[in-house]
Amino acid sequence: MSRFKELWRASITATKKALTWNAEDLIPPSEKYIFRFNSMEELKRWHLYSDSEYGGIFSGNLALDLAEDSKWRLNRSGFCGMRSKKFNGFIDLDAYDTLALKIKGDGRSYISTIYTENWVNSPGQQEDNSWQAFVFVPKDNWYIAKIPLDQYLPTWRGNVIDADLEMNPSRIVGMSLSVNAEGGVPGAKSGPGDFKVEIDWIKALRTE
């Protein structure tokens, strides 16, 4: 068979496949698992800054005071968090509009953070961009919290940035969940004391 005929047949085959493609094959699934807290290997993907155990449990005690002999002198206390380790590359959530977490907890308000690639490439600015939203965790019952990505606000070290910025969901480098003794959604438990939240999974959803 001549080289021309081989190319011609290959072209015809490719054209037939293209004509039989279903548009749904080009659309990502309506949901995408990001984390499933069902194994020790999965937990190793996170840095935990409090007591933790198998099963995705995040717990501890919040205190507003520091011992007089403490070497730390903080303006803000009563804060604890857990953060995922750096991804190998990026998580691309450009096809999705909502982050969902299956959680069970203590009636407190937690802070969900998404970290994206830094838009500033300079030696003095190496931290990832952070986008934060409050999530309420009802007490004692499993609950699926859904947070639209456009509700995440740009922040710098816990403070909201007063600027017209948009998240780039195709360049996500990490996530975290944290708790603060003060602040949160109205009606949520606050103040010093014990806290505990269990996490089953984190997903990205396409709801629109």
Side-chain angles (χ1 to χ4, degrees), residues 37-70:
F37 296 90
N38 57 0
S39 70
M40 289 303 298
E41 289 303 312
E42 189 76 356
L43 292 182
K44 288 178 181 178
R45 298 174 64 191
W46 287 74
H47 294 290
L48 302 177
Y49 298 103
S50 71
D51 297 334
S52 63
E53 61 182 74
Y54 181 89
I57 299 175
F58 172 46
S59 63
N61 182 277
L62 294 172
L64 296 176
D65 299 323
L66 295 169
E68 291 184 4
D69 59 350
S70 172

Short mmCIF file of all heavy atoms in Angstrom, two decimals, residues 37-70:
data_model
loop_
_atom_site.label_atom_id
_atom_site.label_comp_id
_atom_site.label_asym_id
_atom_site.label_seq_id
_atom_site.Cartn_x
_atom_site.Cartn_y
_atom_site.Cartn_z
N PHE A 37 -10.64 11.14 52.88
CA PHE A 37 -9.92 10.87 54.13
C PHE A 37 -10.24 9.47 54.65
O PHE A 37 -10.80 9.30 55.73
CB PHE A 37 -10.26 11.94 55.16
CG PHE A 37 -9.81 13.31 54.76
CD1 PHE A 37 -10.65 14.14 54.03
CD2 PHE A 37 -8.55 13.78 55.08
CE1 PHE A 37 -10.25 15.41 53.64
CE2 PHE A 37 -8.13 15.04 54.70
CZ PHE A 37 -8.98 15.86 53.98
N ASN A 38 -9.86 8.46 53.85
CA ASN A 38 -10.20 7.09 54.21
C ASN A 38 -8.99 6.18 54.31
O ASN A 38 -9.13 4.97 54.34
CB ASN A 38 -11.20 6.52 53.19
CG ASN A 38 -10.66 6.57 51.77
OD1 ASN A 38 -9.55 7.02 51.53
ND2 ASN A 38 -11.47 6.12 50.83
N SER A 39 -7.80 6.74 54.36
CA SER A 39 -6.60 5.92 54.49
C SER A 39 -5.47 6.76 55.08
O SER A 39 -5.49 8.00 55.02
CB SER A 39 -6.17 5.38 53.13
OG SER A 39 -5.68 6.42 52.30
N MET A 40 -4.47 6.09 55.61
CA MET A 40 -3.33 6.79 56.15
C MET A 40 -2.54 7.49 55.04
O MET A 40 -1.96 8.55 55.25
CB MET A 40 -2.41 5.81 56.90
CG MET A 40 -2.99 5.30 58.22
SD MET A 40 -3.43 6.63 59.37
CE MET A 40 -1.82 7.39 59.63
N GLU A 41 -2.53 6.89 53.84
CA GLU A 41 -1.83 7.51 52.72
C GLU A 41 -2.45 8.86 52.38
O GLU A 41 -1.76 9.82 52.04
CB GLU A 41 -1.86 6.59 51.50
CG GLU A 41 -0.99 5.36 51.63
CD GLU A 41 0.47 5.72 51.91
OE1 GLU A 41 1.00 6.59 51.20
OE2 GLU A 41 1.06 5.15 52.85
N GLU A 42 -3.78 8.93 52.47
CA GLU A 42 -4.46 10.19 52.19
C GLU A 42 -4.12 11.24 53.24
O GLU A 42 -3.89 12.40 52.94
CB GLU A 42 -5.97 9.97 52.13
CG GLU A 42 -6.77 11.15 51.63
CD GLU A 42 -6.68 11.34 50.13
OE1 GLU A 42 -5.94 10.62 49.45
OE2 GLU A 42 -7.34 12.26 49.62
N LEU A 43 -4.06 10.81 54.51
CA LEU A 43 -3.74 11.76 55.58
C LEU A 43 -2.32 12.27 55.47
O LEU A 43 -2.02 13.38 55.91
CB LEU A 43 -3.96 11.11 56.94
CG LEU A 43 -5.41 10.80 57.32
CD1 LEU A 43 -5.47 10.21 58.72
CD2 LEU A 43 -6.29 12.03 57.22
N LYS A 44 -1.44 11.47 54.88
CA LYS A 44 -0.05 11.89 54.71
C LYS A 44 0.07 13.05 53.72
O LYS A 44 1.12 13.68 53.62
CB LYS A 44 0.81 10.72 54.25
CG LYS A 44 1.06 9.69 55.34
CD LYS A 44 1.89 8.52 54.81
CE LYS A 44 2.11 7.47 55.88
NZ LYS A 44 2.86 6.30 55.37
N ARG A 45 -1.01 13.32 53.00
CA ARG A 45 -1.00 14.44 52.05
C ARG A 45 -1.26 15.78 52.74
O ARG A 45 -1.31 16.81 52.10
CB ARG A 45 -2.05 14.22 50.95
CG ARG A 45 -1.82 12.97 50.11
CD ARG A 45 -2.96 12.73 49.16
NE ARG A 45 -3.08 13.82 48.18
CZ ARG A 45 -4.13 13.96 47.36
NH1 ARG A 45 -5.14 13.12 47.42
NH2 ARG A 45 -4.17 14.97 46.51
N TRP A 46 -1.44 15.74 54.07
CA TRP A 46 -1.75 16.95 54.84
C TRP A 46 -0.73 17.16 55.95
O TRP A 46 -0.19 16.21 56.51
CB TRP A 46 -3.14 16.83 55.47
CG TRP A 46 -4.25 16.96 54.49
CD1 TRP A 46 -4.65 16.04 53.57
CD2 TRP A 46 -5.11 18.10 54.31
NE1 TRP A 46 -5.70 16.53 52.84
CE2 TRP A 46 -6.01 17.78 53.28
CE3 TRP A 46 -5.21 19.34 54.94
CZ2 TRP A 46 -6.99 18.67 52.84
CZ3 TRP A 46 -6.19 20.22 54.53
CH2 TRP A 46 -7.07 19.89 53.48
N HIS A 47 -0.49 18.45 56.25
CA HIS A 47 0.25 18.84 57.45
C HIS A 47 -0.80 19.11 58.53
O HIS A 47 -1.66 19.97 58.35
CB HIS A 47 1.06 20.12 57.22
CG HIS A 47 2.17 19.96 56.23
ND1 HIS A 47 3.29 19.22 56.49
CD2 HIS A 47 2.32 20.47 54.99
CE1 HIS A 47 4.10 19.27 55.45
NE2 HIS A 47 3.53 20.01 54.52
N LEU A 48 -0.76 18.38 59.62
CA LEU A 48 -1.74 18.56 60.68
C LEU A 48 -1.11 19.31 61.84
O LEU A 48 -0.06 18.90 62.35
CB LEU A 48 -2.25 17.19 61.15
CG LEU A 48 -2.89 16.33 60.05
CD1 LEU A 48 -3.30 14.98 60.61
CD2 LEU A 48 -4.09 17.04 59.45
N TYR A 49 -1.74 20.38 62.25
CA TYR A 49 -1.20 21.21 63.30
C TYR A 49 -1.96 21.06 64.61
O TYR A 49 -2.02 21.97 65.40
CB TYR A 49 -1.20 22.67 62.85
CG TYR A 49 -0.33 22.90 61.65
CD1 TYR A 49 -0.88 23.04 60.39
CD2 TYR A 49 1.05 22.95 61.78
CE1 TYR A 49 -0.07 23.23 59.29
CE2 TYR A 49 1.86 23.14 60.68
CZ TYR A 49 1.29 23.28 59.44
OH TYR A 49 2.09 23.47 58.34
N SER A 50 -2.57 19.90 64.80
CA SER A 50 -3.26 19.62 66.06
C SER A 50 -3.35 18.11 66.19
O SER A 50 -2.86 17.37 65.35
CB SER A 50 -4.66 20.24 66.07
OG SER A 50 -5.51 19.55 65.19
N ASP A 51 -4.01 17.66 67.27
CA ASP A 51 -4.22 16.22 67.43
C ASP A 51 -5.01 15.69 66.25
O ASP A 51 -5.97 16.31 65.79
CB ASP A 51 -5.00 15.92 68.73
CG ASP A 51 -4.22 16.36 69.94
OD1 ASP A 51 -2.98 16.42 69.85
OD2 ASP A 51 -4.85 16.66 70.97
N SER A 52 -4.63 14.54 65.75
CA SER A 52 -5.35 13.94 64.64
C SER A 52 -5.21 12.43 64.70
O SER A 52 -4.33 11.91 65.38
CB SER A 52 -4.81 14.45 63.30
OG SER A 52 -3.46 14.06 63.16
N GLU A 53 -6.09 11.74 63.98
CA GLU A 53 -6.03 10.29 63.94
C GLU A 53 -6.64 9.81 62.64
O GLU A 53 -7.20 10.57 61.88
CB GLU A 53 -6.76 9.66 65.13
CG GLU A 53 -8.24 10.01 65.20
CD GLU A 53 -8.88 9.41 66.44
OE1 GLU A 53 -8.63 9.94 67.54
OE2 GLU A 53 -9.63 8.43 66.29
N TYR A 54 -6.50 8.53 62.42
CA TYR A 54 -7.05 7.92 61.21
C TYR A 54 -8.53 8.24 61.07
O TYR A 54 -9.29 8.14 62.02
CB TYR A 54 -6.85 6.39 61.30
CG TYR A 54 -7.35 5.63 60.11
CD1 TYR A 54 -6.53 5.41 59.02
CD2 TYR A 54 -8.65 5.13 60.08
CE1 TYR A 54 -6.98 4.69 57.93
CE2 TYR A 54 -9.11 4.42 59.00
CZ TYR A 54 -8.27 4.19 57.93
OH TYR A 54 -8.73 3.47 56.85
N GLY A 55 -8.93 8.64 59.87
CA GLY A 55 -10.34 8.92 59.62
C GLY A 55 -10.62 10.38 59.36
O GLY A 55 -11.75 10.78 59.17
N GLY A 56 -9.61 11.20 59.31
CA GLY A 56 -9.82 12.60 58.98
C GLY A 56 -10.37 13.42 60.12
O GLY A 56 -11.18 14.32 59.91
N ILE A 57 -9.96 13.14 61.34
CA ILE A 57 -10.43 13.91 62.50
C ILE A 57 -9.43 15.00 62.83
O ILE A 57 -8.24 14.76 62.91
CB ILE A 57 -10.63 12.99 63.73
CG1 ILE A 57 -11.69 11.93 63.42
CG2 ILE A 57 -11.04 13.79 64.95
CD1 ILE A 57 -11.84 10.92 64.53
N PHE A 58 -9.95 16.19 63.03
CA PHE A 58 -9.14 17.37 63.33
C PHE A 58 -9.68 17.93 64.63
O PHE A 58 -10.82 18.37 64.70
CB PHE A 58 -9.30 18.35 62.17
CG PHE A 58 -8.69 19.71 62.38
CD1 PHE A 58 -7.41 19.86 62.90
CD2 PHE A 58 -9.39 20.85 62.01
CE1 PHE A 58 -6.86 21.12 63.06
CE2 PHE A 58 -8.84 22.10 62.16
CZ PHE A 58 -7.58 22.24 62.69
N SER A 59 -8.87 17.88 65.74
CA SER A 59 -9.40 18.29 67.03
C SER A 59 -8.31 18.90 67.88
O SER A 59 -7.12 18.79 67.59
CB SER A 59 -10.01 17.08 67.76
OG SER A 59 -9.01 16.12 68.01
N GLY A 60 -8.72 19.58 68.95
CA GLY A 60 -7.77 20.20 69.85
C GLY A 60 -8.48 21.14 70.81
O GLY A 60 -9.68 21.01 71.06
N ASN A 61 -7.71 22.10 71.34
CA ASN A 61 -8.27 23.06 72.28
C ASN A 61 -7.75 24.44 71.92
O ASN A 61 -6.56 24.63 71.71
CB ASN A 61 -7.86 22.70 73.71
CG ASN A 61 -8.48 23.66 74.73
OD1 ASN A 61 -7.95 24.73 74.97
ND2 ASN A 61 -9.60 23.27 75.30
N LEU A 62 -8.68 25.40 71.85
CA LEU A 62 -8.32 26.77 71.54
C LEU A 62 -8.18 27.57 72.83
O LEU A 62 -9.01 27.46 73.72
CB LEU A 62 -9.40 27.43 70.67
CG LEU A 62 -9.58 26.85 69.26
CD1 LEU A 62 -10.81 27.48 68.60
CD2 LEU A 62 -8.35 27.11 68.42
N ALA A 63 -7.11 28.37 72.93
CA ALA A 63 -6.90 29.22 74.09
C ALA A 63 -6.52 30.61 73.61
O ALA A 63 -5.78 30.77 72.64
CB ALA A 63 -5.80 28.65 74.98
N LEU A 64 -7.04 31.63 74.30
CA LEU A 64 -6.75 33.00 73.94
C LEU A 64 -5.54 33.55 74.68
O LEU A 64 -4.96 34.55 74.29
CB LEU A 64 -7.97 33.89 74.23
CG LEU A 64 -9.22 33.57 73.41
CD1 LEU A 64 -10.37 34.46 73.87
CD2 LEU A 64 -8.96 33.76 71.93
N ASP A 65 -5.16 32.90 75.77
CA ASP A 65 -4.08 33.40 76.60
C ASP A 65 -2.79 32.63 76.35
O ASP A 65 -2.80 31.46 75.97
CB ASP A 65 -4.45 33.28 78.09
CG ASP A 65 -5.69 34.09 78.41
OD1 ASP A 65 -5.84 35.19 77.84
OD2 ASP A 65 -6.50 33.61 79.22
N LEU A 66 -1.66 33.28 76.61
CA LEU A 66 -0.35 32.67 76.52
C LEU A 66 0.31 32.70 77.89
O LEU A 66 0.14 33.66 78.65
CB LEU A 66 0.54 33.42 75.52
CG LEU A 66 0.08 33.38 74.06
CD1 LEU A 66 0.90 34.37 73.24
CD2 LEU A 66 0.23 31.99 73.50
N ALA A 67 1.06 31.66 78.19
CA ALA A 67 1.77 31.63 79.46
C ALA A 67 2.78 32.77 79.51
O ALA A 67 3.37 33.16 78.50
CB ALA A 67 2.48 30.29 79.64
N GLU A 68 2.99 33.32 80.70
CA GLU A 68 3.90 34.45 80.84
C GLU A 68 5.32 34.12 80.41
O GLU A 68 6.05 34.98 79.94
CB GLU A 68 3.88 34.96 82.29
CG GLU A 68 2.57 35.60 82.69
CD GLU A 68 2.64 36.18 84.08
OE1 GLU A 68 3.73 36.12 84.69
OE2 GLU A 68 1.62 36.70 84.57
N ASP A 69 5.72 32.84 80.61
CA ASP A 69 7.07 32.46 80.24
C ASP A 69 7.18 31.96 78.81
O ASP A 69 8.22 31.46 78.39
CB ASP A 69 7.61 31.39 81.19
CG ASP A 69 6.73 30.13 81.18
OD1 ASP A 69 5.63 30.18 80.58
OD2 ASP A 69 7.15 29.11 81.76
N SER A 70 6.10 32.08 78.04
CA SER A 70 6.14 31.61 76.66
C SER A 70 7.07 32.49 75.83
O SER A 70 7.12 33.70 76.00
CB SER A 70 4.73 31.65 76.05
OG SER A 70 4.79 31.38 74.66
#
